[in-house]
Amino acid sequence: MKEKRIDLSTETKIKEAARTVFYKKGFSATRTRDIAEEAGINLALLNYYFRSKEKLFEIIMLETFSAFVQSMTVILNDENTSLENKVELIANRYIDFIIREPEVPTFLISEIRNNPQQLLEKLPVKQIINNSVFFKQHGEAVKQGLIMEPNPLHFLLNLLGLVVFPFIAKPLIMGGQDLDIEQFNALMIERKSLIPIWIAAMMKAK
Amino acid sequence: MKEKRIDLSTETKIKEAARTVFYKKGFSATRTRDIAEEAGINLALLNYYFRSKEKLFEIIMLETFSAFVQSMTVILNDENTSLENKVELIANRYIDFIIREPEVPTFLISEIRNNPQQLLEKLPVKQIINNSVFFKQHGEAVKQGLIMEPNPLHFLLNLLGLVVFPFIAKPLIMGGQDLDIEQFNALMIERKSLIPIWIAAMMKAK
DNA sequence: ATTTGTTTTAATCATTTGATTAAAACATTT
DNA sequence: AAATGTTTTAATCAAATGATTAAAACAAAT
């Protein structure tokens, strides 16, 4: 029972409507008329405020991707948390986030394939990750023999795979296992405490 | 250097062209004219052979999804392989498969969200998985204390997450880490032997 | 060779869709 | 309240797009 806040400015109404529709259907399947209807505004206002469907999309895309990457980099660059802490934080925050915004992962995956280039230019993921505290801590742990696999990319991919993949497979899991959304979410919440244990075990394995 | 086989029937040419374009751009972003051009045929032939864009898409979708599920269920239902064997087989086969057909995972994820219902009716994933030899073996291993997490769904999600997720994140990994396709694939091939080790360790963890 | 059935083509249709325009409604300033 | 600036609306445009049609090209059967 999501409450529609009624008091937004027209511009904000359009942006939030665009977010809703783009998240659900992707860029190509979204009609500007869908957005106008969702926002309860005249179609021409979309172009009045945002010039074009594409410009509006870019705004939503950049905001969404930034939010996703931002919280990651903040966690990965905290000097005051251990590797174990970081794993817990990422599992907890991302699972909570995706439960609130379940359409975001599939939206990002589907739409990034079109122009990953452009997106990566605007968000310099490269440096942010490679110079991260996380990378240094990982290197240390490898040197001390606490982690067997030396490539930190495998570590990150494993962590994100365990966190994100189940949400991507959600339609199949729910349909294939007759789960309702409550049961599915419960399963994901379980994983918040399981993933750190699993990651710890994996990384020691050889 | 993909060779275009020249000798296909018109119908097959159209279907394979449709596969190529649908995989790359998804249903909504694909124009029937794109498919006609890719196939080197007159636009009207598409409708002559397949009635409509939608019918053609359904054929590709069902074929692709079936292939994906089929090989999974075959492996999961083999009486003659252990749990460990099954993990190895899935990691190996799927990583090889996705390296050959890199657009399939994102295609499936993007398009399944539209009507997961319809797809699951045609492919009864539910029973296939739930009555599988894999489930029985997993239950046994749990009973014997070899596996700590009792829910086999977590097991499957973990395995598939480790296998599939990196391919989904490919544009970000390649762009963000300056890898070319060779280096990326090498990384994935590494994972064929790593994933079974990781899974084994995870499942014993507590 | 003619007839019959099948496949392919060029042209065209009807609808959808992103965008624009001119006017109206509303708000703010003088 | 008149003038000016801003926001919103209804109507419309041009291009794109899925689909159809009628005729042509081709193949097979008689």
Side-chain angles (χ1 to χ4, degrees):
Chain A
M1 228 53 73
K2 183 187 276 183
E3 298 236 343
K4 279 270 163 62
R5 281 150 299 179
I6 198 68
D7 236 8
L8 303 173
S9 74
T10 303
E11 191 172 344
T12 311
K13 267 197 299 187
I14 296 172
K15 219 178 77 175
E16 290 317 306
R19 187 189 307 279
T20 302
V21 183
F22 281 141
Y23 279 4
K24 188 149 66 191
K25 314 212 285 182
F27 177 79
S28 288
T30 294
R31 311 287 98 117
T32 51
R33 283 161 177 83
D34 301 337
I35 297 174
E37 193 185 3
E38 173 79 26
I41 52 104
N42 186 289
L43 171 60
L45 286 179
L46 189 149
N47 296 84
Y48 177 75
Y49 282 103
F50 296 95
R51 283 293 292 171
S52 72
K53 178 190 175 188
E54 212 164 13
K55 289 239 170 55
L56 179 51
F57 177 79
E58 274 170 24
I59 291 170
I60 300 296
M61 185 50 163
L62 198 61
E63 268 190 30
T64 306
F65 187 56
S66 295
F68 216 84
V69 172
Q70 190 81 21
S71 22
M72 178 76 65
T73 59
V74 168
I75 296 173
L76 293 186
N77 282 292
D78 190 337
E79 301 270 5
N80 300 313
T81 56
S82 64
L83 260 183
E84 290 78 11
N85 292 154
K86 289 182 173 61
V87 170
E88 279 174 39
L89 282 169
I90 287 175
N92 274 286
R93 298 241 187 120
Y94 275 86
I95 286 173
D96 283 341
F97 171 71
I98 302 175
I99 285 175
R100 279 198 309 277
E101 298 279 354
E103 276 144 341
V104 164
T106 301
F107 167 77
L108 284 176
I109 289 162
S110 306
E111 303 299 327
I112 282 177
R113 75 170 148 177
N114 297 324
N115 45 8
Q117 224 76 347
Q118 193 196 331
L119 208 60
L120 286 167
E121 280 165 22
K122 293 186 183 166
L123 278 237
V125 183
K126 200 191 314 186
Q127 318 146 22
I128 300 178
I129 300 285
N130 285 347
N131 304 327
S132 65
V133 174
F134 161 78
F135 260 40
K136 296 194 191 81
Q137 290 176 324
H138 185 275
E140 267 308 307
V142 169
K143 209 185 293 173
Q144 294 174 17
L146 302 171
I147 291 182
M148 292 303 126
E149 169 52 45
N151 189 342
L153 200 53
H154 283 310
F155 189 107
L156 260 187
L157 286 174
N158 293 348
L159 175 53
L160 289 178
L162 293 178
V163 169
V164 176
F165 181 80
F167 289 99
I168 292 166
K170 179 159 81 164
L172 296 181
I173 300 168
M174 287 182 60
Q177 298 288 116
D178 283 325
L179 302 181
D180 62 31
I181 189 64
E182 298 298 331
Q183 296 171 306
F184 176 83
N185 285 343
L187 215 59
M188 294 305 109
I189 289 170
E190 260 182 48
R191 295 177 69 85
K192 292 206 283 188
S193 42
L194 291 170
I195 288 172
I197 298 170
W198 288 333
I199 289 280
M202 285 166 77
M203 292 300 113
K204 281 177 212 132
K206 186 191 147 78
Chain B
M1 229 54 71
K2 183 187 275 184
E3 299 235 344
K4 279 268 164 61
R5 280 150 299 176
I6 198 65
D7 233 10
L8 304 173
S9 73
T10 303
E11 190 173 345
T12 309
K13 268 197 298 188
I14 296 173
K15 218 178 75 175
E16 290 317 305
R19 188 190 306 280
T20 302
V21 184
F22 281 141
Y23 279 2
K24 188 150 67 195
K25 316 213 284 184
F27 177 79
S28 289
T30 294
R31 309 289 97 118
T32 51
R33 281 162 177 81
D34 300 338
I35 297 173
E37 193 185 2
E38 173 77 27
I41 52 105
N42 186 288
L43 172 59
L45 286 180
L46 189 149
N47 296 83
Y48 176 75
Y49 282 102
F50 295 95
R51 285 291 294 171
S52 72
K53 178 189 175 189
E54 212 164 11
K55 289 241 169 57
L56 178 50
F57 177 79
E58 274 170 26
I59 290 169
I60 301 296
M61 184 50 160
L62 198 62
E63 268 190 32
T64 307
F65 187 56
S66 296
F68 216 84
V69 172
Q70 190 81 22
S71 24
M72 178 75 65
T73 58
V74 168
I75 296 173
L76 293 186
N77 282 292
D78 190 337
E79 302 270 3
N80 300 315
T81 56
S82 65
L83 260 184
E84 290 79 11
N85 291 157
K86 288 182 172 62
V87 170
E88 279 174 40
L89 282 169
I90 287 175
N92 274 285
R93 299 239 186 123
Y94 275 87
I95 287 174
D96 283 341
F97 171 71
I98 303 175
I99 286 175
R100 279 198 310 276
E101 296 281 354
E103 277 143 339
V104 164
T106 301
F107 167 78
L108 284 175
I109 289 161
S110 305
E111 303 298 329
I112 282 176
R113 73 172 148 178
N114 298 325
N115 46 8
Q117 224 78 347
Q118 193 196 328
L119 207 60
L120 287 167
E121 282 165 20
K122 292 185 185 168
L123 278 240
V125 184
K126 198 191 314 184
Q127 318 146 22
I128 300 177
I129 301 286
N130 284 347
N131 304 328
S132 65
V133 173
F134 162 77
F135 261 40
K136 296 193 190 81
Q137 290 176 324
H138 184 275
E140 267 308 305
V142 169
K143 209 185 292 175
Q144 294 173 16
L146 302 172
I147 291 182
M148 291 302 125
E149 169 53 46
N151 190 342
L153 201 52
H154 282 310
F155 189 107
L156 259 188
L157 287 174
N158 293 348
L159 174 53
L160 289 178
L162 293 178
V163 169
V164 176
F165 181 80
F167 289 99
I168 291 167
K170 179 160 80 164
L172 297 180
I173 299 168
M174 287 183 61
Q177 298 287 117
D178 282 324
L179 302 182
D180 63 30
I181 189 64
E182 297 298 331
Q183 296 170 306
F184 176 83
N185 285 343
L187 216 58
M188 295 304 109
I189 289 169
E190 260 183 48
R191 294 176 70 85
K192 291 204 285 188
S193 43
L194 291 169
I195 287 173
I197 298 170
W198 289 332
I199 288 279
M202 286 167 77
M203 292 300 111
K204 282 178 209 129
K206 186 192 143 82

